[in-house]
Amino acid sequence: MRFSLEQLQVFVTAVQAGSFSAAARRLGRTQSTVSAAIANLETDLGVELFDRSSRIPALTAAGRKLLLQAEAVLERCYALEGSADSLAEQVEPSLTLAIEVPYGSLIPVLREFGAAFPFVDLLIRHPVHGDVSELVLKGEADLGVAFSQPEYPQELAFQQLGKLIMAHVCHAQFALAQRERVGFADLHAHRRLAFVAHAHKLPSSEYLRAAQVWQAESYLALVEMVRAGLGWATLPRQLIQRELAAGELVELQLEAYPHTDWLVGVDLLWQRRRQPGKAERWLRECLQRSKVFELDRRGVSTTL
């Protein structure tokens, strides 16, 4: 290589600082050292980076073009250095987090994680075949955030993070939307659209049986099916707030619970015997301190 990273650093700093003397002060060097480093870089590259005809050197056209590449090279070097430091501290290079709840409540935690561990890659999985607990149990996910289930395998530990509202909804033109109050018998008479992993596992879901059941492997697919008028479904209210506000979807008012929202717990899951790395431990503790919540129809938080 005809030039050094140190020369690139001096070049970029001189541009950022506005002058060779300012760059020297920022780098803790003499102005002559900075001038020599840039002159040597110009010789090594075979181009003139600065026009020195005025009192304060200004970038040439070649200098402006090479500045962008020099900044990119230094940025990659800093990333390499940071990644190496992270690995030297025995921080795992990547984590897998399985999430089946709306992501809104978790974004602040993920933002903090990104700032605390910028060199740890994060893979977020949404269950397709099977549920979050199975992914964590099989070691395919390090941590899971999922709607609560009545029983977990003994190998899994869990902590409730809060509660979210599940809403029974249909399209505004669907037959059930015309009823002021809906009984379980009314639900049973119409096609139910269900999320595969929860069709029979959510608390109290035994009341939601129907003669016809279509299942989908994602909530987004269910939203589209409900919007198409194919049946009614039980969906996280956070996921469909826009459609409810627009009047496209209608929330069904159940006779059995006329003034009560259906709250379902949200759990954090991990393997009991698994020894977490530094980043996983940090993320688990941060999630445990956070609260997953929304406001119910009375404006009261679902998580105290």
Side-chain angles (χ1 to χ4, degrees):
M1 184 180 295
R2 296 180 296 170
F3 55 87
S4 68
L5 293 176
E6 183 179 4
Q7 288 174 318
L8 294 182
Q9 185 182 37
V10 172
F11 169 44
V12 171
T13 303
V15 176
Q16 293 174 343
S19 68
F20 291 0
S21 59
R25 289 192 296 271
R26 183 175 296 184
L27 295 171
R29 302 178 185 181
T30 65
Q31 182 173 341
S32 60
T33 301
V34 169
S35 297
I38 293 176
N40 290 334
L41 178 60
E42 289 177 319
T43 299
D44 292 338
L45 295 175
V47 297
E48 189 176 77
L49 301 173
F50 288 94
D51 179 357
R52 295 170 175 80
S53 60
S54 60
R55 187 173 63 86
I56 298 178
L59 280 175
T60 62
R64 286 192 293 272
K65 185 169 185 178
L66 292 178
L67 173 65
L68 298 176
Q69 298 184 48
E71 289 174 333
V73 170
L74 289 176
E75 183 178 342
R76 294 303 303 157
C77 288
Y78 294 146
L80 174 63
E81 191 174 49
S83 184
D85 290 343
S86 178
L87 292 172
E89 294 175 2
Q90 297 184 330
V91 176
E92 55 270 52
S94 64
L95 282 178
T96 299
L97 179 61
I99 304 175
E100 70 178 18
V101 303
Y103 292 3
S105 299
L106 304 177
I107 293 301
V109 174
L110 297 182
R111 185 178 291 113
E112 288 185 44
F113 179 80
F117 297 92
F119 301 105
V120 176
D121 293 333
L122 186 63
L123 171 62
I124 296 179
R125 294 191 58 182
H126 191 89
V128 177
H129 301 290
D131 56 28
V132 165
S133 62
E134 292 178 355
L135 293 178
V136 176
L137 185 63
K138 294 176 180 178
E140 297 178 15
D142 301 302
L143 298 171
V145 180
F147 286 113
S148 302
Q149 295 185 13
E151 296 181 2
Y152 292 114
Q154 292 184 348
E155 296 88 342
L156 293 183
F158 72 95
Q159 176 181 318
Q160 187 172 104
L161 303 180
K163 296 180 179 180
L164 293 177
I165 298 171
M166 299 294 283
H168 310 297
V169 298
C170 67
H171 189 270
Q173 301 302 317
F174 196 71
L176 290 174
Q178 315 311 316
R179 302 183 64 89
E180 185 175 346
R181 288 284 184 267
V182 176
F184 291 131
D186 298 316
L187 294 180
H188 301 166
H190 295 271
R191 181 185 296 119
R192 178 190 177 198
L193 308 174
F195 181 49
V196 170
H198 293 160
H200 307 292
K201 292 185 178 181
L202 285 182
S204 302
S205 60
E206 64 271 14
Y207 300 114
L208 303 179
R209 63 185 183 275
Q212 297 182 59
V213 180
W214 287 9
Q215 300 186 47
E217 294 178 337
S218 79
Y219 277 124
L220 294 181
L222 287 179
V223 171
E224 293 303 316
M225 293 164 72
V226 174
R227 292 177 64 188
L230 298 178
W232 63 271
T234 303
L235 299 168
R237 185 183 287 170
Q238 282 191 341
L239 194 64
I240 51 173
Q241 288 177 339
R242 185 181 305 171
E243 288 81 1
L244 290 173
E248 182 179 9
L249 300 186
V250 173
E251 186 169 355
L252 303 175
Q253 304 301 319
L254 300 188
E255 289 179 346
Y257 309 103
H259 307 295
T260 304
D261 289 306
W262 184 22
L263 303 183
V264 177
V266 175
D267 292 341
L268 172 65
L269 308 174
W270 67 92
Q271 286 191 20
R272 291 184 185 277
R273 297 183 179 180
R274 188 172 178 276
Q275 292 299 317
K278 186 176 180 180
E280 180 184 341
R281 187 183 304 109
W282 187 98
L283 182 56
R284 182 198 300 179
E285 292 173 355
C286 190
L287 285 167
Q288 289 172 320
R289 292 193 302 269
S290 67
K291 294 294 183 181
V292 173
F293 70 96
E294 63 182 298
L295 300 181
D296 64 16
R297 65 185 69 189
R298 298 170 300 170
V300 178
S301 173
T302 56
T303 304
L304 301 178

